[in-house]
Each structure stands twice: as C-alpha cells, then as structure tokens.
Amino acid sequence: MNTVVNNSLLALMLALKDLESPLSEDEESTLSDVAAQLSLDPDAWESDIEPTLMTVIAANPNLNQLYQSAKSQLANVNGNIPKELIPTQSEVEKIIPPTPEIATRGFDPEGDESDFESNEINNMVISILSNPDPVETTKKLGRFEQLKQFIGAKK
C-alpha cells in the first residue's frame, strides 16, 4: 500500500472519530464489507475497495466533510506520520477482541519499512471497520486525537 491509500484510510478513521451522528446500519454493513475486501485483497484498492468506500463517504454529508478535511491535512504531512501516533494492533484489541476470520498481515523484517506501516494501518482499519460500531471504536482510541493534533499543526 502507498501513502495515498494510507492517507485515505487514516482520513476515514479521523472522520469516524469526529462524526457526531451514528452511522446507519447500511453504512456500517458496507464499511464491514470494505474491511473484508481489505483483508482478502488489499491490492484491489482502486478497482473495488476505494469505489465502495467513497460511495459510503459521499452519501453521508457530515462524514464526507470530515473525511475531506482530514485527507487534505494528511496530504500536508506527505506520509511523515510518527509511528507512535498510529494505534497499534494491541491497542485496538484492548477495545475490540480479535476476530479469528480476519487475517492480519505482517511485514518482511528485511524489506521496506513502509510495508510495516502500511500493514499496520491496514490491520487497524480492518479491525475497526469489522466492528459493529466503528464510530464509537475510533472515539475510544486516544492516538487518533494525537494524530489529529499533529496533522492540524502541520497546516
């Protein structure tokens, strides 16, 4: 995964964190489908995952506004986000117990460091979107507030 994909996924997490109204059952179901698609084939971003995700975001004006704002702020940091601002899998698992059918992806310790970051972001997003209430889950993860402050300071 690349910076554009990571920024889109992080923008979604930040938008969900700041969303004041709950998502509809259809929106939650579609986000759960997005999580399943990410888990099965993260390389299908452009062909399957992004269009589905953007349909949900575009249909919810509040979510869309928050997403676009977060995405533009993330673009300003050019992918230079400190690792300590991204919730770890163990932090997510404290809020959401692991689901056995969700495959998490590791990284090649001798490979590119960006693979580690991409897979960690991907794994976190899959866990959160698979949860029945992704809005409440993102609100419980304090690192999203730290990330929001970091990208807001980089304007």
Side-chain angles (χ1 to χ4, degrees):
M1 292 198 159
N2 60 38
T3 302
V4 172
V5 175
N6 285 342
N7 282 354
S8 294
L9 294 174
L10 288 173
L12 174 63
M13 296 295 99
L14 292 170
L16 290 173
K17 181 205 169 301
D18 289 340
L19 191 65
E20 293 181 12
S21 58
L23 295 172
S24 70
E25 286 185 32
D26 287 343
E27 290 168 328
E28 288 178 354
S29 175
T30 303
L31 290 178
S32 182
D33 292 345
V34 166
Q37 289 175 324
L38 273 171
S39 181
L40 291 173
D41 188 9
D43 293 328
W45 176 256
E46 289 181 13
S47 61
D48 295 328
I49 301 167
E50 183 181 32
T52 303
L53 184 60
M54 293 313 298
T55 299
V56 172
I57 292 170
N60 184 325
N62 294 333
L63 181 61
N64 190 24
Q65 180 182 12
L66 293 166
Y67 171 82
Q68 296 301 334
S69 174
K71 192 168 181 186
S72 69
Q73 289 177 324
L74 284 163
N76 290 334
V77 298
N78 297 321
N80 297 320
I81 300 169
K83 287 181 187 178
E84 61 270 8
L85 297 180
I86 306 294
T88 64
Q89 192 64 28
S90 63
E91 290 171 319
V92 173
E93 288 174 0
K94 286 179 185 174
I95 296 169
I96 311 167
T99 307
E101 65 268 8
I102 295 176
T104 57
R105 302 184 189 292
F107 74 102
D108 178 1
E110 297 174 11
D112 184 6
E113 181 75 10
S114 67
D115 285 346
F116 171 75
E117 293 172 11
S118 293
N119 287 335
E120 285 300 304
I121 291 170
N122 192 32
N123 292 341
M124 177 218 17
V125 170
I126 290 168
S127 295
I128 292 170
L129 295 183
S130 298
N131 187 39
D133 193 351
V135 173
E136 270 310 303
T137 303
T138 57
K139 291 180 189 304
K140 292 178 183 176
L141 291 165
R143 290 202 191 192
F144 285 131
E145 186 59 37
Q146 294 170 342
L147 175 60
K148 183 179 162 191
Q149 290 172 3
F150 174 78
I151 64 173
K154 296 293 181 177
K155 284 184 182 179

